[in-house]
Amino acid sequence: VRIHPGWPGAETTYVNADAAVVTVTVEVGAAPHRPVGPLASTGADLDVLVVWALALIVVGVATLLLARIRLENPHA
Amino acid sequence: MRKFRKLAAGVAALTVAGVGFPAGAQTDEVPVSLENTSGSRTILIEDMTGNELQELAFGASRSLPFRVRVQDQAIAATPFTVNASLTNLYFDETGVDYSTLIESENVKLEPQVGLGFDVLDLEATVQPIVDLVATLTGPLAPICATLTGAISLPTGGCTVEATGVVADVLDLTIPVDLSNLTNLPLLPQNPDTGFFTEAEYGGGVGLGDPAGANGTGGRLAGTQWKLAAGSPVTSNLVFDPLTDAVNDLTRSEIISDAAVLAAFNEVVTKLASPLINTLGATTTDLLNATAATAQTLGADELLALTGQYISLPKLSVTVPVKDPALPAGTYRGTLVVTGLQ
């Protein structure tokens, strides 16, 4: 956007104003900390997702460990 | 002779954005001829890499820097102000919905942290008034005996002075130290800090908002904040360094030979040519024996300035929490930028 103000002339001095415009756009509901995909509709924050993911990993690892223990000691 | 410039090409691109100008301002499609007695001043709204800005697209971000560049080319040191007002940001997925909006009061203007403005490529065009002193010694010394009013020197010869002589037009580089701006003839200012508490209805997308009627056929105006400004300074802190810069030049750089000889001929009739030639000296001898010292410059001697004044503001938006919640999507508004001088 370029503005060319008028100039005070040699014979008259005056105040002038020229204007231009800049479009401003904002996206709502798609902030980067919002999850995308199936959980998006819950509005859960990314940090909540991280906690859930960690919890799932812990549960998964624990399940695997339990399964391995049961395999090694089927009578335990 | 008047000079006219056609000044509208730069804003023609605004038509593409589909937005209009506020009432009373010049439209983008009308060639505008303005009287311009000297030089030019152009105000450009740009992104941070210097591209002309058509849109401040926040996307999912909530803060955007941009810059305002005032480009002066050999123009008088006149003040300027660049203001901005903002419409509400209206929900616009399939068309502007004036009933669903982010109020302009949620948008804040402020300087970018640590970077309020910058000044580049600053030059002053000056025409100093100088005092000339010719020291007539050696081959010029015999002239002294024929002169009335010459000041005799104890070592022989004399001096002849011509004071208040108009020198050449000079372009001087003005050093810029952003930590000490006292030497700048046109002092830039920081962008304002504040929220757009009142929405602009007189420009851009705000023109279509039925809430913007002011009851008298006009449109309600929004809060104006300063994006950039410059104000003339005429203190000695400005002009003393310029005077010193002139005096750092050689005599021939300050004032032409012809002007020197003409000035001396006014002081001593026919000194520069017939008298010197009669006595076996030359005008070159006289020119070589002449020193020029600038009188302290002032506003009258500062003819014009060239340079770039860059203001570095940013806009920040806070999406308000509402009940019912704002629908997800694009919200569109218009920043109306006005240049005044």
Side-chain angles (χ1 to χ4, degrees), chain A residues 1-12 14-32, chain B residues 2 11 19 21 26 34-36 41 43 45 52-56 58-60 62 328-331 333 335 337 339-341:
Chain A
V1 173
R2 187 187 295 253
I3 306 173
H4 297 277
W7 320 108
E11 298 162 3
T12 49
Y14 55 91
V15 176
N16 53 71
D18 285 5
V21 294
V22 178
T23 301
V24 179
T25 57
V26 175
E27 300 296 329
V28 172
Chain B
R2 291 181 176 181
V11 290
V19 287
F21 283 77
Q26 290 151 343
L34 298 167
E35 188 168 3
N36 181 11
R41 169 172 286 160
I43 302 170
I45 317 299
E52 278 194 38
L53 194 63
Q54 301 296 331
E55 182 174 5
L56 276 166
F58 280 78
R62 295 297 176 255
T330 301
Y331 289 74
L335 187 73
V337 182
L340 294 163
Q341 72 169 17

Side-chain angles (χ1 to χ4, degrees), chain B residues 12-333:
Chain B
L14 295 173
T15 309
V16 177
V19 287
F21 283 77
Q26 290 151 343
T27 68
D28 53 342
E29 296 176 329
V30 179
V32 181
S33 297
L34 298 167
E35 188 168 3
N36 181 11
T37 53
S38 66
S40 64
R41 169 172 286 160
T42 306
I43 302 170
L44 302 106
I45 317 299
E46 299 174 332
D47 63 22
M48 292 306 291
T49 57
N51 299 310
E52 278 194 38
L53 194 63
Q54 301 296 331
E55 182 174 5
L56 276 166
F58 280 78
S61 71
R62 295 297 176 255
S63 182
L64 267 188
F66 61 104
R67 71 184 204 183
V68 178
R69 183 160 59 92
V70 177
Q71 185 171 303
D72 281 357
Q73 179 63 45
I75 192 171
T78 51
F80 65 85
T81 303
V82 183
N83 287 333
S85 57
L86 183 70
T87 68
N88 293 317
L89 309 180
Y90 302 99
F91 186 59
D92 185 3
E93 282 294 302
T94 57
V96 179
D97 176 0
Y98 286 106
S99 62
T100 306
L101 62 138
I102 298 171
E103 292 82 0
S104 64
E105 65 185 10
N106 295 289
V107 183
K108 182 183 185 183
L109 176 77
E110 59 190 317
Q112 294 169 33
V113 175
L115 292 170
F117 56 79
D118 199 357
V119 183
L120 299 173
D121 308 324
L122 198 54
E123 272 190 7
T125 302
V126 301
Q127 188 165 33
I129 305 297
V130 298
D131 297 332
L132 301 172
V133 178
T135 304
L136 307 182
T137 56
L140 295 169
I143 300 174
C144 297
T146 69
L147 299 178
T148 302
I151 303 167
S152 296
L153 297 170
T155 54
C158 62
T159 60
V160 179
E161 298 178 358
T163 57
V165 182
V166 178
D168 293 347
V169 175
L170 308 172
D171 290 329
L172 303 173
T173 298
I174 300 178
V176 177
D177 177 358
L178 292 179
S179 65
N180 181 6
L181 301 169
T182 54
N183 67 319
L184 300 190
L186 198 57
L187 185 65
Q189 296 169 24
N190 260 329
D192 281 336
T193 297
F195 291 92
F196 291 94
T197 49
E198 300 292 336
E200 175 65 58
Y201 295 99
V205 68
L207 282 168
D209 190 340
N214 70 359
T216 61
R219 305 290 297 169
L220 295 173
T223 305
Q224 293 256 341
W225 290 116
K226 179 181 64 193
L227 292 180
S231 53
V233 179
T234 56
S235 76
N236 288 344
L237 295 174
V238 171
F239 289 112
D240 285 351
L242 288 176
T243 306
D244 292 342
V246 172
N247 287 327
D248 285 341
L249 302 173
T250 64
R251 192 281 305 162
S252 63
E253 291 173 319
I254 298 172
I255 184 168
S256 69
D257 294 350
V260 170
L261 298 176
F264 280 132
N265 270 338
E266 280 195 23
V267 176
V268 181
T269 304
K270 307 298 182 186
L271 168 67
S273 184
L275 192 52
I276 284 180
N277 290 338
T278 302
L279 295 173
T282 66
T283 52
T284 302
D285 294 326
L286 178 62
L287 292 168
N288 290 340
T290 299
T293 304
Q295 297 179 2
T296 301
L297 274 68
D300 289 343
E301 287 75 54
L302 178 60
L303 303 183
L305 290 172
T306 293
Q308 299 185 66
Y309 305 89
I310 298 173
S311 174
L312 299 163
K314 69 174 180 180
L315 280 184
S316 303
V317 60
T318 304
V319 177
V321 177
K322 294 189 176 184
D323 186 16
L326 287 169
T330 301
Y331 289 74
R332 191 180 307 278

